[in-house]
Amino acid sequence: KNRPGLEALDQKRLFSDGCISSATAPMSVTVTHQGRRAKIALGSAHVAVREVVARAKAHFGLEGSFGLRTTRGRRADVPDAAAWAHTGLSNNCELELVRRAGGG
């Protein structure tokens, strides 16, 4: 019988023992839009930001031109063509889905 929280403890132990590295740990990002939140799985550090945008748009049922913007600090736009690994953003960060100017 599986006890609640046991799996999380096992993953934490494996991470601290070096069996799971930051490169193999599950990656995700939280995307907000008009007060709603969605946790989007990245799958890999090499996924393009535009793919994260597409998944977020599908989750929120949106069409048109959207992009991601950081929610902390200077609130900078995240380049769509970049691979996640090259954005400088951490795993589990929070981003805001915003409509791009002129985007239908």
Side-chain angles (χ1 to χ4, degrees):
K1 190 173 180 180
N2 200 3
R3 295 187 321 245
L6 186 59
E7 183 178 316
L9 288 174
D10 285 345
Q11 283 190 356
K12 187 174 181 180
R13 180 184 52 77
L14 289 171
F15 192 84
S16 66
D17 290 347
C19 297
I20 297 177
S21 69
S22 59
T24 58
M27 297 180 68
S28 65
V29 60
T30 299
V31 177
T32 63
H33 179 71
Q34 296 181 344
R36 297 169 44 206
R37 302 167 68 82
K39 189 163 193 163
I40 307 294
L42 298 179
S44 116
H46 303 291
V47 67
V49 170
R50 71 175 141 268
E51 176 62 25
V52 178
V53 170
R55 292 177 192 173
K57 284 173 45 178
H59 177 85
F60 293 120
L62 301 171
E63 293 184 11
S65 181
F66 284 83
L68 295 173
R69 181 178 293 157
T70 58
T71 59
R72 308 216 193 284
R74 262 187 32 228
R75 298 180 59 89
D77 289 341
V78 180
D80 287 341
W84 186 259
H86 300 288
T87 62
L89 297 169
S90 63
N91 183 24
N92 295 321
C93 71
E94 184 175 295
L95 299 169
E96 180 181 12
L97 187 66
V98 294
R99 186 172 296 276
R100 294 284 189 219

